[in-house]
Amino acid sequence: MAEPTELSYKARSHMLSHQQKALKMAGGRIYLAILILALCILSGECREEESSRKPNIVIFIMDDVGMGDIGCFGNTTMNTPNIDQLAREGAKLSQHIAHPICTPSRAALMTGRYAIRSGMCSYHIMRVISFISAPAGLPSNETTIAELAKTVGYSTGLIGKWHLGFTCSPDDGCSDPNSQGFDYFYGLPLTNILDCGSGTVFEAWRKNFYTEVAVALAVLNLTTFVLVMCKFAPQRMLYIVTVLSVLFYIFCLLIPRIIATMNCVIMENKRVVEQPLSYTNLTQRHTQKALKFLESNRDNPFLLVMSFLQAHTELYAEPHFRNSSRHGMYGAAVEELDWSVGQIMGKLHRLGLAQDTFVYITSDNGAHVEEFTKHGHREGGSNGIYKGGKANCFEGGIRVPTIASYPGVIPAGSEVSEPTSVIDVLPTVAGLIGAQVPTDRAIDGKDMMPLMTQHVDRSPHKFLFQYCGAYLHGARYTPPDGKAVYKLHYATVNFVPGPDGTLGCFDAYPCRCEGPTTIHHDPPLIYELTSDPSESSPLDPSTPEMRAIIAKAREAVRDHQASIGPTSYQFSFMKLMPRVSDQPCCGSFCQCTEDHSTEFSYDAIQPDIPRKDWTQSGHIGAS
């Protein structure tokens, strides 16, 4: 049977209207027509005539925010009233999964396909695009949600983080947002990294990087001095080693500034507007651009993707949020993100568009549990009861806090506990806006609307596959009957305790997908997630029931992998290396600053008071 589309959800009110007219003409039974209309309104299935307009789509993507970071998912130390309000108005998707790291996860969300199909995943340690000017990127022959929306007349905008490539190549075309279907783009072509702020990626990799380099160079110079004194080397060797050591150390000190100039860039469409970026009012600037996009497209159906930089390190937030946070800078970043959600939702209400807008909010992966400062202070988030975190395929790495809202269509205050995935976004949006899902390629996602509207009660996915980089680490199996959900791990990472006792990949930052810190399992580890969401008690693989599940999963994996055709691999060494000719730059010395002022004032913000109405002033609606 064909899956219901957006038109089928909204056509019912018009059908009932025609039925009422027929009843009046047939016998003048007005009381019956009134009764039908009343029942329709009470059930939430009738909409006003203007609702025949195609629904607007707003997608919020958080960065590195875990299942334990949001109030409606159980957090008690951070204040997220606006996201919590979305949950009250719609449905929480409590078993929604993503890829465990950002670039492949965002590629999957944009295309409805596992990232391996588009070549947007890695066989080595570098699992994200690391330079704006690198040739790696989402191939132009992929169809994104923005391109799909444009086929049916939508205006499309992306605000914030892209991280799916920004250059053009002869083989794969152009991968920047404007070339991938977005009419308007404002934000970071790459991502928010430590080098954009006060830290460096080297210090994240090795907490005492500069000390270790200095010690190594000192040992080298001392060894050379001893060799010279003992006449085993000429005296000029000491001068050469000393000069090269100093130059190398200076180069190490300059690398963060060089990387910041290359990668910490704000662009509007294809024009650089700030280089390197400043964190001053950065979330407010992004939010202001989003509000202007909504205002400009109030008379047209639109797709807005608001892709936050928070809560990826470098952490940042304005003083108001830093002063009110009970969870340090991380909490301030999440609360500032929540404020932005409130601003956008308030604008939709003031424009009279909220009733006809499908809203989806998720995170690109779980919280990064290995994020600590060099002084041992935690900078990452929480995954609640779930094991692991960003960069691995335990639930903490792939289960992400997700909410979907569509007034009058998705029941308010509901919860979907069945497995769903970021790959489901494209077919779900396609069904809502009446667009044709591509038929010339494998689309892994499924329309979530029947599940979210409670027309069905089981996941549309029999199997969901879990990739770490380009390696398949596991599979999720949902039998058609019962409520069990089985997860099979074919490979797992080896955890060690961190500074506060948290288990993570502290000896291999970040977690590796292959190699000595990875453990392969044959037979696979099996967990039943409904009764054991923390993955603490693996089931006995030798029982007849588990052997049957293992066999079904093996067959599904074989069929899935056989369906993956040849593609242009985007994570080869040469594609990840920067190209000077493609480096975006403003001015002769790649230095420019945009106006940091915004229209927002925080005098009236009271983050500890959740609002009941999006249109109220203060924390939620004011702009």
Side-chain angles (χ1 to χ4, degrees):
M1 181 169 56
E3 294 177 350
T5 66
E6 192 273 339
L7 291 176
S8 67
Y9 296 126
K10 291 196 171 183
R12 289 177 288 203
S13 60
H14 303 297
M15 292 172 61
L16 287 168
S17 176
H18 290 309
Q19 291 171 357
Q20 291 166 12
K21 292 177 182 178
L23 287 169
K24 290 178 183 179
M25 294 175 63
R29 299 176 181 176
I30 299 175
Y31 72 93
L32 183 58
I34 294 173
L35 178 61
I36 292 175
L37 181 60
L39 290 174
C40 178
I41 292 172
L42 288 173
S43 67
E45 298 201 3
C46 281
R47 308 292 297 269
E48 297 177 1
E49 287 297 322
E50 65 265 26
S51 68
S52 59
R53 161 181 169 148
K54 286 181 178 291
N56 306 305
I57 308 294
V58 174
I59 295 174
F60 296 108
I61 307 175
M62 303 179 287
D63 199 345
D64 290 7
V65 174
M67 286 292 286
D69 288 334
I70 304 299
C72 60
F73 285 95
N75 184 279
T76 58
T77 61
M78 287 188 284
N79 198 13
T80 56
N82 297 300
I83 297 174
D84 298 344
Q85 177 73 9
L86 278 176
R88 286 191 291 271
E89 294 182 353
K92 291 195 302 182
L93 278 62
S94 56
Q95 201 175 159
H96 198 67
I97 65 173
H99 284 269
I101 204 163
C102 49
T103 292
S105 191
R106 291 163 187 270
L109 187 152
M110 286 288 167
T111 63
R113 289 150 53 87
Y114 292 110
I116 195 167
R117 295 194 189 276
S118 57
M120 294 293 285
C121 52
S122 172
Y123 287 99
H124 50 75
I125 186 174
M126 187 57 66
R127 294 155 61 188
V128 299
I129 298 173
S130 300
F131 294 97
I132 295 174
S133 60
L138 188 66
S140 60
N141 61 2
E142 291 291 330
T143 299
T144 68
I145 50 174
E147 291 171 314
L148 214 59
K150 285 181 68 65
T151 65
V152 288
Y154 275 62
S155 299
T156 57
L158 170 68
I159 311 293
K161 170 179 173 176
W162 174 237
H163 212 182
L164 293 175
F166 208 76
T167 64
C168 299
S169 70
D171 297 329
D172 299 315
C174 300
S175 53
D176 62 279
N178 295 135
S179 301
Q180 295 284 1
F182 289 99
D183 299 321
Y184 180 73
F185 167 64
Y186 174 87
L188 277 67
L190 199 68
T191 184
N192 175 31
I193 54 176
L194 287 170
D195 298 273
C196 298
S198 59
T200 74
V201 292
F202 297 107
E203 287 182 305
W205 175 50
R206 303 285 296 179
K207 299 302 179 187
N208 300 306
F209 174 78
Y210 291 105
T211 301
E212 292 174 353
V213 169
V215 170
L217 293 175
V219 170
L220 175 63
N221 279 268
L222 180 60
T223 302
T224 305
F225 176 78
V226 171
L227 291 174
V228 169
M229 290 297 100
C230 295
K231 309 294 185 182
F232 290 115
Q235 190 170 3
R236 67 176 180 275
M237 181 64 71
L238 181 59
Y239 300 139
I240 294 171
V241 170
T242 301
V243 170
L244 291 177
S245 296
V246 171
L247 290 175
F248 181 75
Y249 193 74
I250 292 174
F251 175 71
C252 289
L253 293 175
L254 290 176
I255 280 179
R257 181 63 182 179
I258 295 170
I259 291 178
T261 301
M262 293 175 65
N263 285 338
C264 302
V265 175
I266 298 177
M267 301 189 74
E268 189 164 28
N269 295 321
K270 297 186 181 183
R271 180 176 65 90
V272 177
V273 296
E274 185 159 89
Q275 187 176 21
L277 67 81
S278 167
Y279 287 109
T280 302
N281 273 354
L282 186 53
T283 298
Q284 290 68 34
R285 284 182 273 160
H286 282 86
T287 303
Q288 189 163 270
K289 294 291 186 181
L291 300 188
K292 288 181 178 178
F293 176 86
L294 296 178
E295 182 73 43
S296 299
N297 292 282
R298 63 188 304 172
D299 298 324
N300 313 307
F302 57 78
L303 163 70
L304 172 64
V305 177
M306 186 70 179
S307 182
F308 294 103
L309 308 184
Q310 288 118 332
H312 194 292
T313 52
E314 171 86 352
L315 294 175
Y316 71 95
E318 291 305 303
H320 170 83
F321 299 97
R322 295 201 299 268
N323 295 337
S324 64
S325 170
R326 292 189 293 154
H327 193 72
M329 184 59 87
Y330 186 89
V334 173
E335 290 179 9
E336 189 174 59
L337 175 160
D338 178 82
W339 166 87
S340 180
V341 170
Q343 293 293 318
I344 292 169
M345 292 305 302
K347 186 70 169 180
L348 288 171
H349 276 268
R350 292 192 298 278
L351 293 174
L353 301 175
Q355 290 297 111
D356 285 304
T357 300
F358 171 80
V359 179
Y360 165 89
I361 182 168
T362 194
S363 180
D364 58 357
N365 46 250
H368 200 177
V369 300
E370 292 89 3
E371 287 284 11
F372 283 82
T373 68
K374 58 185 176 183
H375 304 295
H377 300 143
R378 170 176 279 282
E379 284 200 313
S382 167
N383 295 306
I385 65 172
Y386 303 105
K387 182 189 295 186
K390 176 180 178 177
N392 66 76
C393 288
F394 281 109
E395 289 297 280
I398 62 174
R399 191 183 293 218
V400 288
T402 305
I403 299 164
S405 172
Y406 191 6
V409 177
I410 297 176
S414 58
E415 180 172 346
V416 175
S417 57
E418 290 290 300
T420 53
S421 170
V422 295
I423 59 176
D424 297 328
V425 174
L426 182 139
T428 301
V429 169
L432 287 169
I433 66 178
Q436 176 64 51
V437 174
T439 57
D440 61 344
R441 67 201 66 189
I443 299 295
D444 299 299
K446 307 290 185 183
D447 189 347
M448 294 183 289
M449 288 305 296
L451 194 61
M452 293 190 294
T453 57
Q454 300 178 357
H455 285 75
V456 300
D457 60 4
R458 277 308 252 169
S459 172
H461 296 281
K462 187 174 182 180
F463 285 94
L464 281 167
F465 303 102
Q466 294 137 206
Y467 280 91
C468 183
Y471 298 95
L472 193 144
H473 271 206
R476 213 179 200 86
Y477 170 52
T478 306
D481 53 350
K483 285 296 179 183
V485 177
Y486 297 98
K487 182 178 178 183
L488 296 84
H489 284 280
Y490 301 110
T492 57
V493 296
N494 185 36
F495 288 145
V496 297
D500 64 349
T502 302
L503 291 178
C505 299
F506 292 94
D507 60 342
Y509 178 96
C511 295
R512 311 293 170 83
C513 298
E514 191 57 66
T517 59
T518 303
I519 305 169
H520 292 268
H521 303 283
D522 187 14
L525 291 178
I526 308 178
Y527 298 96
E528 200 287 291
L529 295 177
T530 304
S531 60
D532 183 22
S534 301
E535 298 173 282
S536 58
S537 302
L539 302 174
D540 182 357
S542 65
T543 65
E545 181 184 10
M546 292 303 105
R547 286 202 304 268
I549 289 173
I550 290 171
K552 288 180 181 178
R554 186 185 303 117
E555 181 180 359
V557 167
R558 183 174 63 247
D559 292 344
H560 163 68
Q561 291 182 324
S563 74
I564 299 171
T567 188
S568 180
Y569 178 54
Q570 297 298 313
F571 280 76
S572 65
F573 178 78
M574 292 307 298
K575 283 195 172 185
L576 291 174
M577 290 297 101
R579 293 191 305 198
V580 176
S581 60
D582 288 327
Q583 178 62 45
C585 191
C586 58
S588 302
F589 300 100
C590 295
Q591 301 283 322
C592 58
T593 303
E594 71 170 345
D595 183 6
H596 293 165
S597 63
T598 70
E599 61 192 28
F600 301 113
S601 170
Y602 302 110
D603 295 338
I605 295 178
Q606 299 176 357
D608 57 330
I609 302 177
R611 304 286 185 178
K612 296 181 180 179
D613 185 351
W614 291 112
T615 61
Q616 292 188 39
S617 62
H619 178 58
I620 288 182
S623 59

